[in-house]
Amino acid sequence: MDKTTHFGYKQVDVGKKQGLVKGVFDSVAGKYDLMNDVMSMGTHRLWKNYTIASSNVSEGDHVLDIAGGTGDLAIKFRKKVGASGKVILSDINGSMLNEGRKNLINHGIIDVDFIQANAESLPFEDNTFDCVSIAFGLRNVTNKDIALQQMYRVLKKGGTLLILEFSKVENEMLKKIYDLYSFNVIPKFGEFFANDEDSYQYLAESIRKHPDQETLKAMTLDAGFGFCEYHNLTGGIVALHKAIKT
Amino acid sequence: MFRLAIEKALNHMINVNSINIERLDNSLISLYVDDIDLKIFFLCLNSRIFVIENSEQKDANVDITLNKKAFLSLFKGTSFEDLIESEEIEVNGSIKTAQQLADLFALSSIDIEELISQYTGDVIAYQLGRTIEKIKSATKHDKDSFVENLKNEFTTLLIAPSRSKFFKKRAS
């Protein structure tokens, strides 16, 4: 019998999760940025700015943005690394990569490479990047431990891994409000703005199934990183984990 | 935010001035400001500095212990040797490595007093409460003296908290 894993609150065969996640992102790709703005009331931009500020990326660095989607982080990284640096935007989903390509061209950026790749088997040599980022992507990866080991492998010594992801809300009152919002309001936004309630129901469920801050930190250290710290944003709705390869 | 602000400022300064920090590479330096109980670690790797909390509790190559006054003066360019001679800084490990980190502090344009004041804001607020209580009890029979003492103590506390007799008592 095949092993199972979670897809939102459902248990599915491990081999099927990737296809199901692909279905979600194929469906939402065209409205992804709009929905991010609507759902987070624009706050996702602050979370991403904080991620960039924490990245310790400088001119000339090589950066890999995994699950880079519509390219929000890649655009900001491109500015930081300058002409002597390099940014690669990767995503497992072709529809999201297409949206990213359009978005970057609209920003006048043509020197970012796009690679369709699975985070569990990154097609890069060891010790290639100064920084690897994954924003709101890790929870959709089937085998997170393998993906973290891959991120470790492709980072140089002294390279930084940044994981921006939904996490566990610490405050009980905020948690109640957040649960009410994400299970009752977000799927309705999805239906209204993207004509897709199910995908946004999956979003709310997948967040609850994602490892909490301390668990993810432990997973990151297990993958080989020497140091890992996290910073809760908006009361832990989102957390930024920053790990360093030593 | 305190650590992030220092990390950003140091790395910005290293990049802008093309400072070679190769000699610090692979070092983990612990810095402890004892009178405000501030402990931070500087990890130097990949030609950059990470300012971390080291929750993994890895052993540092160099341990620097100093008081707040000495910490602030490092950022104002006070000679590291002078501070060691006057026993305001204690170093365990390579003094050269500690000196190199101190040199970076001196070159940076970090508004360390502002950062420290944010960090110690809660300590000062606590002290302020205690100060009021002490002045009240010391001058409860003399209203004019109470107001004067309050003014003086507030002024000292707000401008130079370390000179406040109440703050000094706590730090000792």
Side-chain angles (χ1 to χ4, degrees):
Chain A
M1 191 182 153
D2 280 348
K3 282 186 178 173
T4 62
T5 186
H6 55 83
F7 173 72
Y9 285 165
K10 293 177 198 146
Q11 281 298 118
V12 298
D13 288 345
V14 164
K16 287 183 178 167
K17 177 167 175 174
Q18 195 174 305
L20 291 167
V21 172
K22 179 180 182 302
V24 167
F25 283 90
D26 280 344
S27 168
V28 304
K31 301 278 185 183
Y32 189 79
D33 282 341
L34 170 70
M35 280 303 294
N36 278 350
D37 277 332
V38 169
M39 288 184 302
S40 72
M41 291 172 265
T43 314
H44 74 103
R45 294 174 191 278
L46 301 177
W47 297 331
K48 287 170 183 165
N49 285 342
Y50 182 79
T51 303
I52 298 291
S54 303
S55 68
N56 220 341
V57 162
S58 54
E59 201 167 326
D61 279 357
H62 288 204
V63 178
L64 171 65
D65 184 26
I66 300 173
T70 52
D72 287 1
L73 287 185
I75 291 167
K76 295 174 196 295
F77 277 131
R78 178 70 261 177
K79 285 180 188 160
K80 276 190 89 80
V81 302
S84 57
K86 188 175 186 62
V87 176
I88 296 177
L89 192 163
S90 86
D91 203 301
I92 194 170
N93 187 285
S95 308
M96 292 296 288
L97 269 186
N98 284 336
E99 290 300 317
R101 190 177 282 113
K102 278 193 266 180
N103 201 17
L104 264 69
I105 289 170
N106 286 340
H107 279 81
I109 297 169
I110 54 168
D111 51 358
V112 164
D113 291 344
F114 293 85
I115 291 177
Q116 188 164 0
N118 185 339
E120 295 171 31
S121 52
L122 294 171
F124 304 103
E125 289 184 6
D126 298 357
N127 311 312
T128 301
F129 297 100
D130 300 287
C131 177
V132 170
S133 62
I134 179 164
F136 305 113
L138 189 63
R139 73 178 188 287
N140 299 312
V141 174
T142 306
N143 194 328
K144 296 172 184 61
D145 290 319
I146 289 178
L148 290 169
Q149 286 163 19
Q150 285 285 302
M151 294 171 203
Y152 178 83
R153 181 183 65 76
V154 301
L155 273 169
K156 292 177 190 170
K157 186 178 179 183
T160 312
L161 169 65
L162 300 164
I163 306 169
L164 182 66
E165 189 54 271
F166 292 106
S167 206
K168 189 181 174 192
V169 176
E170 304 283 346
N171 180 282
E172 277 306 310
M173 179 64 83
L174 179 61
K175 187 174 178 296
K176 281 180 186 162
I177 296 166
Y178 178 55
D179 281 348
L180 194 73
Y181 177 72
S182 47
F183 284 106
N184 297 284
V185 180
I186 285 179
K188 296 296 170 199
F189 279 158
E191 186 182 16
F192 184 78
F193 290 101
N195 200 25
D196 184 354
E197 185 173 349
D198 290 347
S199 293
Y200 288 92
Q201 181 68 29
Y202 162 74
L203 169 76
E205 292 176 4
S206 66
I207 291 168
R208 271 65 182 183
K209 298 299 283 185
H210 187 66
D212 65 19
Q213 289 90 330
E214 284 294 332
T215 307
L216 182 56
K217 178 180 171 178
M219 288 166 69
T220 307
L221 293 170
D222 284 347
F225 288 90
F227 296 94
C228 180
E229 296 176 359
Y230 64 83
H231 191 89
N232 282 333
L233 303 167
T234 320
I237 289 175
V238 163
L240 174 68
H241 283 71
K242 178 176 173 180
I244 304 164
K245 181 172 177 176
T246 53
Chain B
M1 289 305 259
F2 177 78
R3 282 182 286 118
L4 180 59
I6 294 184
E7 180 178 289
K8 277 175 70 75
L10 286 177
N11 287 303
H12 178 73
M13 186 264 302
I14 288 166
N15 291 327
V16 167
N17 299 303
S18 304
I19 295 172
N20 186 347
I21 58 163
E22 222 169 69
R23 287 166 70 185
L24 284 172
D25 223 25
N26 280 317
S27 305
L28 179 64
I29 303 165
S30 137
L31 188 144
Y32 180 54
V33 187
D34 54 10
D35 48 353
I36 54 171
D37 198 23
L38 169 69
K39 188 157 199 171
I40 43 179
F41 289 81
F42 296 84
L43 174 67
C44 311
L45 275 176
N46 197 19
S47 303
R48 66 202 71 195
I49 292 178
F50 299 91
V51 183
I52 58 176
E53 63 180 358
N54 188 17
S55 56
E56 294 77 12
Q57 297 188 322
K58 299 207 169 171
D59 290 338
N61 306 102
V62 182
D63 292 289
I64 304 171
T65 305
L66 70 179
N67 59 28
K68 184 181 152 195
K69 188 178 147 225
F71 182 54
L72 295 179
S73 61
L74 279 180
F75 287 84
K76 290 173 184 163
T78 304
S79 153
F80 189 71
E81 289 96 335
D82 288 351
L83 289 169
I84 287 183
E85 270 175 28
S86 60
E87 296 182 346
E88 290 183 76
I89 289 186
E90 187 186 313
V91 178
N92 277 320
S94 162
I95 292 199
K96 269 192 179 174
T97 305
Q99 166 88 63
Q100 281 164 5
L101 183 68
D103 289 347
L104 292 177
F105 291 163
L107 283 171
S108 75
S109 54
I110 299 172
D111 187 350
I112 195 67
E113 292 195 35
E114 169 65 20
L115 285 176
I116 286 285
S117 72
Q118 285 173 23
Y119 176 79
T120 55
D122 52 346
V123 176
I124 290 176
Y126 168 79
Q127 282 304 320
L128 214 54
R130 280 180 58 93
T131 300
I132 291 169
E133 284 304 312
K134 292 205 172 198
I135 294 171
K136 263 185 178 175
S137 64
T139 59
K140 61 184 173 188
H141 300 301
D142 185 346
K143 270 191 177 176
D144 290 340
S145 150
F146 169 72
V147 173
E148 278 310 305
N149 281 339
L150 193 65
K151 270 188 198 169
N152 290 338
E153 195 51 41
F154 268 22
T155 308
T156 311
L157 202 66
L158 292 173
I159 294 172
S162 58
R163 282 190 214 153
S164 158
K165 59 185 175 184
F166 297 103
F167 198 84
K168 269 184 183 166
K169 268 183 192 167
R170 183 179 177 272
S172 60

